[in-house]
Amino acid sequence: MLGFKERTFHGGAHPPEAKKYTEKKPIEKMPAPEQVVIPLQQHIGAPTEPLVKVGDRVKIGDRLSEPKGFVSVPVHASVSGKVVKIAEMPHPLGKKVLSIIIQNDGEDAFSEAVRPDENYMDLSPEEMRKRIQMAGIAGMGGATFPTHVKLSPPAEKPIDTLIINGAECEPYLTADHRTMVEFSEEIVAGIKIIQKILGVKRTIIAIEKNKPDAIKKMRGVTRNDSSIDVIALKVKYPQGAEKQLIKAITNREVPTGGLPMDVGCLVQNVGTTRAIYEALARGKPLYERVTTVTGPGIKEPKNLIVRIGTLFKDVIAYCGGYREDVSKLIMGGPMMGLAQHTDDVPVIKGTSGLLLLTEKYVRVADPMPCIGCNRCVDTCPMHLVPTTLAEFADFKRYVEAEKWGIMDCIECGTCTFVCPAKRHLLQSIRFGKYEINLQKRKAS
């Protein structure tokens, strides 16, 4: 029987970690830019509507928009200054989004609404959820699902295990790693809030073994708390994916189409957990975040606290600028991140990192016919058959693709990474999922 520390999940791979650029670098606060571009849509769910108009003056932490519906969170001013424009602007997710542009007045004046509350733990769970929503908190690991929704499981699906996700399995990224090292006590304070909201007794902080300083720090601050365990996980991608993390820790499997709450679990990213603490204890909405700027294509890799709405080009300039042979800019990590066609897009709540790669690292080989080696099947953490799914998608056989589980694909990219024939498996599967979802929307 495997010991608790050695539990893991089926499949996966171990791409080069490449965390050397920033894993030892303390988090640095980047000065506020002269102008910020704050998209009204930065989360999964319903968009928000602006509460301000051109010419209005705002302070840091002022609410700029009104959420429309339960699955929605507002955005807030990250600088003090004047609203100079409200228009559709380029967005790192690839389409133009209605955004509020604020000219920084340099005063760094804070909203009267940003004030500490020493008695925040006396709030009821419902009051806590409401404050978390109005603070604009959405998953900061990249998924950007509204946090208050995640913290509202139905009564018939009680949570018995809270998992704090410190795996950060994506190569290059170190934002969560440094957050655990430098803000460990605030993470624990956030855990206590979540424990109260959910009434959960068992909490596990899950960290991959390649972050020994973070493991030591989190174990140190929780040594007298019997409700929290810190475990070291095998280093394997995609260890940080919700379903794989739950399987590794509890041996429970989230059913097809289901959610972690279906097996009594809730997973929360370490950065999000800290943001929950800041929202309730300090009255601070989510207007800045920790972001890793890394890779061989940037002159001075850093871990930064960046104001939401800061343009990528300003962040890159603060890190010394591009190296001459840079050829690719990615928001996030190399496995699940999104390649950008411009650096004229803003940091949003889900920007865990900016990765800059040089020509040597982005060569794309021509795909060859499948050689039937089975590596993609062996490594798929969802027990799928990627080659077959990709072929169904390529030939528009969507009914068969759905029967074979294409919608269960978590798009981790492991199949493409291990394929010796360099086939574009993930791209085909992702296109197939898009077409199936499009057809369903049209049918409804």
Side-chain angles (χ1 to χ4, degrees), residues 300-435:
E300 299 174 27
K302 296 176 184 285
N303 294 298
L304 295 174
I305 294 179
V306 183
R307 308 281 181 101
I308 301 295
T310 304
L311 296 178
F312 285 8
K313 63 183 181 184
D314 291 335
V315 178
I316 292 165
Y318 183 71
C319 293
Y322 295 107
R323 291 194 179 277
E324 289 182 1
D325 54 345
V326 68
S327 62
K328 194 167 190 177
L329 168 61
I330 298 173
M331 185 180 79
M335 299 297 284
M336 296 185 78
L338 296 172
Q340 303 293 310
H341 72 280
T342 174
D343 58 7
D344 204 19
V345 291
V347 169
I348 59 175
K349 296 173 182 178
T351 306
S352 54
L354 300 183
L355 173 60
L356 295 96
L357 298 174
T358 54
E359 182 67 28
K360 172 184 174 183
Y361 294 85
V362 297
R363 290 175 189 152
V364 179
D366 292 331
M368 296 180 290
C370 175
I371 60 174
C373 69
N374 221 38
R375 290 187 190 176
C376 61
V377 179
D378 292 339
T379 55
C380 177
M382 294 302 294
H383 302 273
L384 301 174
V385 185
T387 47
T388 302
L389 293 176
E391 286 185 5
F392 283 147
D394 289 342
F395 290 99
K396 305 186 187 307
R397 294 166 60 182
Y398 302 128
V399 174
E400 290 111 314
E402 209 166 353
K403 287 180 179 177
W404 279 65
I406 193 171
M407 303 308 287
D408 285 339
C409 173
I410 61 172
E411 302 182 18
C412 66
T414 305
C415 53
T416 301
F417 176 75
V418 301
C419 178
K422 307 302 178 187
R423 290 169 59 78
H424 302 162
L425 299 171
L426 171 61
Q427 290 79 359
S428 293
I429 293 172
R430 185 178 282 161
F431 177 75
K433 290 176 67 177
Y434 170 81
E435 286 294 321

Side-chain angles (χ1 to χ4, degrees), residues 263-322:
V263 293
C265 294
L266 186 139
V267 181
Q268 212 49 274
N269 166 267
V270 292
T272 313
T273 305
R274 178 181 174 235
I276 289 172
Y277 162 75
E278 289 194 304
L280 268 66
R282 298 174 178 163
K284 178 184 173 183
L286 186 52
Y287 63 78
E288 62 184 12
R289 65 155 297 146
V290 179
T291 297
T292 302
V293 187
T294 185
I298 188 77
K299 289 185 178 177
E300 299 174 27
K302 296 176 184 285
N303 294 298
L304 295 174
I305 294 179
V306 183
R307 308 281 181 101
I308 301 295
T310 304
L311 296 178
F312 285 8
K313 63 183 181 184
D314 291 335
V315 178
I316 292 165
Y318 183 71
C319 293
Y322 295 107

Side-chain angles (χ1 to χ4, degrees), residues 117-351:
D117 180 357
E118 294 180 354
N119 302 313
Y120 68 93
M121 285 303 288
D122 294 336
L123 295 170
S124 70
E126 190 51 43
E127 289 171 326
M128 287 178 166
R129 289 190 194 96
K130 190 63 180 176
R131 287 198 186 185
I132 290 168
Q133 179 184 16
M134 298 317 289
I137 299 177
M140 296 169 69
T144 66
F145 191 74
T147 301
H148 69 284
V149 180
K150 213 171 183 180
L151 295 175
S152 305
E156 66 272 19
K157 295 183 179 179
I159 304 299
D160 60 40
T161 304
L162 168 64
I163 300 172
I164 302 301
N165 188 354
E168 200 168 48
C169 59
E170 270 274 3
Y172 289 95
L173 301 186
T174 58
D176 288 349
H177 179 178
R178 295 307 310 181
T179 297
M180 289 186 284
V181 171
E182 299 181 44
F183 299 105
S184 52
E185 293 182 351
E186 295 181 4
I187 293 171
V188 173
I191 289 173
K192 305 314 288 185
I193 295 170
I194 300 173
Q195 286 179 334
K196 177 169 181 176
I197 291 174
L198 298 174
V200 67
K201 305 297 183 186
R202 181 192 188 208
T203 298
I204 296 168
I205 303 173
I207 310 171
E208 285 194 336
K209 287 182 176 177
N210 59 357
K211 305 171 187 65
D213 50 349
I215 294 169
K216 181 179 180 181
K217 194 69 184 290
M218 295 308 303
R219 282 180 172 163
V221 297
T222 58
R223 62 183 178 278
N224 297 320
D225 190 331
S226 61
S227 71
I228 303 175
D229 286 321
V230 180
I231 69 164
L233 293 169
K234 185 176 181 178
V235 180
K236 189 168 71 168
Y237 179 85
Q239 188 78 255
E242 278 193 340
K243 293 178 179 177
Q244 282 61 47
L245 199 56
I246 291 169
K247 175 64 177 175
I249 293 172
T250 69
N251 203 30
R252 302 173 189 173
E253 291 194 10
V254 179
T256 296
L259 296 170
M261 69 174 71
D262 293 320
V263 293
C265 294
L266 186 139
V267 181
Q268 212 49 274
N269 166 267
V270 292
T272 313
T273 305
R274 178 181 174 235
I276 289 172
Y277 162 75
E278 289 194 304
L280 268 66
R282 298 174 178 163
K284 178 184 173 183
L286 186 52
Y287 63 78
E288 62 184 12
R289 65 155 297 146
V290 179
T291 297
T292 302
V293 187
T294 185
I298 188 77
K299 289 185 178 177
E300 299 174 27
K302 296 176 184 285
N303 294 298
L304 295 174
I305 294 179
V306 183
R307 308 281 181 101
I308 301 295
T310 304
L311 296 178
F312 285 8
K313 63 183 181 184
D314 291 335
V315 178
I316 292 165
Y318 183 71
C319 293
Y322 295 107
R323 291 194 179 277
E324 289 182 1
D325 54 345
V326 68
S327 62
K328 194 167 190 177
L329 168 61
I330 298 173
M331 185 180 79
M335 299 297 284
M336 296 185 78
L338 296 172
Q340 303 293 310
H341 72 280
T342 174
D343 58 7
D344 204 19
V345 291
V347 169
I348 59 175
K349 296 173 182 178
T351 306

